Amino acid sequence: MKDLNISNDVLHLYRRAGFGGLPDRDISINKALKHLFHDSENFTPVSTVGKKQESPLMSEGAMTPDADAMKKEKMKKNREGIRELNLAWMSGMAKGDNALRERMSLFWHGHFACRVQDAAFVQSYLNTIRKNALGNFGDMLMAVSKEPAMLQFLNNQQNRKNRPNENFAREVMELFTLGRGNYTEQDIKEGARAFTGWGFNDKGEFEFREKTHDVGTKNFLGKSGNFNGEDIIKILLEQKQTARFITAKIYRNFVSEILNEKRVSQLAEDFYDSDYDIGQLMHSIFSAKWFYEDAPKSSLIKSPVELIVGIQRTLNADFINNDTPLYIQKVLGQILFYPPNVAGWPGGRNWIDSSSLLFRMQLPNMMAGMITPKIQAKESGDVNDQTVKKKGENPKINVDWEQWAKRFEKVDNQKLPGFLCEELLAVKPDASVMALIVEKERVIADRTLYIRKLTLAIMGLPEYQIS
């Protein structure tokens, strides 16, 4: 095999845009970008949950024992369905070719945070964000806003004329578009009136209920008219603050938690002028010189899902027990489809505490079957959250170590520790730390075993927690 010597810039791109997967040869940034975007052009829906059936009408009165049992069985099936969706999406992130689409979808899952107990609703919501992840933000905003999962989560099913529920209208502005402080309480009230009638039917389909819609004149963000929900979203997209808010959030998640105001302003201006083309915005970021020049001082802490998927993509590995990603997610505090609140996961340094850092550093060796986890999964406080068992499980993965070692067959043993560090780490560890690793993992005759031990030792460093 050709000596790799993949550039630091390409490795940085793959860490931020592709969950840390490694290209199989050195290529230019332009070619790497072309591959990432090309491979993510196609969208294939996740389909583990059957079509939602219309709920039978129940007679009024006290719930019968049979009805109570049916309700419990339905809740159980929904929990199982959401588990299957979680595992299917994790598998797609770890093994699929469309890494950039899935990485963007994970971002949008945090942006459009949603948590409901209906598996069919969750599946529809997931496919909507995945389908639109690199498309037009306006289209995604409209589609997500009409998802039964979001309408249920933010209580718009109860939003009716003369009895408006303001929750959905508030979060559409605060979390999805403008950001806090860029609208008034009156805008919320008027927006809620416009969204009256938006709901879903028993088949889990969006439904505009005209009889419950407030047809009166609304005054919203300086405009006046007989607005409906679509009008409100259109007005929100007309605000340059929406482009600025989305751009700043993407910058914090893919570039640096510290905003460069000049860059963000220019990116936001271009984003607005492109009619909210997400793919164009991401291409602008990933092709900018500063994205690579600032890499050494713009480290980002990997989310739990990024960490798990990154290990799998790097080593081309599969879990032996498919349920174990759920256990790891719960221990580390990020269970897909179970965000902590409407604002999603806070991210950044919030991912790390004393117990989670220890678990994170041990995770590569756990996944390689070298050690057994002793930490129990955290309790979420939600009685409906039964996603994983409380006891630790062995999160072992299948790794073709021979194939992994073959990648480095032309690298001398003396250069191997440094070479592996360059491929696996965004930040170079202290020389004294590497000296300890080299001393502990002495060269042995079985080169595959030697490379495996070195790889796991380097993945177990704190530096592996950042991208």
Side-chain angles (χ1 to χ4, degrees), residues 422-440:
E422 288 183 5
E423 288 229 333
L424 298 173
L425 304 179
V427 177
K428 197 172 183 179
D430 190 270
S432 61
V433 173
M434 284 308 300
L436 286 173
I437 289 177
V438 172
E439 175 65 24
K440 181 181 178 183

Side-chain angles (χ1 to χ4, degrees), residues 175-420:
L175 300 176
F176 300 168
T177 55
L178 300 175
R180 185 175 298 176
N182 295 294
Y183 53 87
T184 67
E185 287 296 313
Q186 190 61 31
D187 288 325
I188 295 172
K189 294 180 185 298
E190 299 293 278
R193 291 177 57 212
F195 283 116
T196 52
W198 275 34
F200 53 88
N201 58 28
D202 286 340
K203 293 182 180 180
E205 302 164 334
F206 173 79
E207 184 175 73
F208 176 64
R209 299 163 295 180
E210 191 172 355
K211 291 182 179 180
T212 65
H213 176 64
D214 185 336
V215 296
T217 299
K218 295 97 178 173
N219 297 293
F220 181 75
L221 292 177
K223 294 195 172 188
S224 179
N226 179 17
F227 299 138
N228 57 26
E230 287 87 352
D231 296 323
I232 295 299
I233 288 175
K234 182 179 178 181
I235 293 171
L236 288 170
L237 292 169
E238 290 171 355
Q239 312 303 307
K240 287 193 173 183
Q241 172 57 27
T242 294
R244 210 268 174 202
F245 179 71
I246 299 301
T247 302
K249 192 167 184 178
I250 285 176
Y251 190 95
R252 289 191 186 95
N253 276 265
F254 289 89
V255 182
S256 172
E257 290 189 66
I258 302 172
L259 293 183
N260 181 306
E261 296 294 341
K262 184 178 179 180
R263 290 176 190 163
V264 171
S265 294
Q266 184 59 60
L267 288 167
E269 190 74 26
D270 293 344
F271 188 40
Y272 185 84
D273 290 343
S274 74
D275 192 30
Y276 294 94
D277 187 323
I278 301 166
Q280 182 174 312
L281 171 62
M282 301 313 297
H283 196 280
S284 295
I285 290 172
F286 295 144
S287 60
K289 286 185 178 180
W290 47 257
F291 179 72
Y292 303 96
E293 292 171 350
D294 291 359
K297 56 184 178 182
S298 63
S299 299
L300 298 174
I301 297 174
K302 297 174 185 175
S303 71
V305 171
E306 287 178 79
L307 180 63
I308 301 166
V309 171
I311 294 172
Q312 288 184 266
R313 289 196 79 93
T314 298
L315 300 177
N316 192 27
D318 293 307
F319 280 98
I320 292 175
N321 181 342
N322 289 333
D323 282 348
T324 50
L326 297 167
Y327 163 70
I328 303 172
Q329 288 176 44
K330 192 159 190 177
V331 169
L332 296 181
Q334 187 186 27
I335 306 175
L336 297 176
F337 313 126
Y338 287 85
N341 51 53
V342 293
W345 295 276
R349 295 187 180 276
N350 293 286
W351 290 129
I352 303 290
D353 57 33
S354 57
S355 63
S356 66
L357 179 58
L358 176 62
F359 187 90
R360 277 171 165 258
M361 292 172 65
Q362 292 177 339
L363 186 58
N365 274 288
M366 290 180 198
M367 291 172 68
M370 307 301 290
I371 58 176
T372 302
K374 297 180 180 179
I375 300 176
Q376 289 193 347
K378 299 175 183 179
E379 293 288 350
S380 68
D382 185 346
V383 295
N384 294 314
D385 181 4
Q386 300 178 27
T387 51
V388 294
K389 299 175 183 178
K390 294 181 181 179
K391 295 182 180 179
E393 301 174 31
N394 190 351
K396 192 174 179 182
I397 51 177
N398 273 322
V399 182
D400 186 341
W401 290 109
E402 291 285 349
Q403 187 64 33
W404 175 248
K406 193 175 181 182
R407 181 180 178 88
F408 311 102
E409 63 184 358
K410 292 193 175 182
V411 182
D412 295 335
N413 283 338
Q414 189 177 359
K415 296 179 180 179
L416 195 55
F419 197 93
L420 281 166

Side-chain angles (χ1 to χ4, degrees), residues 58 63 65-79:
M58 295 182 62
M63 183 173 285
D66 284 347
D68 186 47
M70 287 174 62
K71 182 179 179 181
K72 289 181 179 179
E73 180 63 23
K74 182 180 179 181
M75 290 174 63
K76 179 183 177 183
K77 286 184 177 180
N78 275 315
R79 286 194 299 269

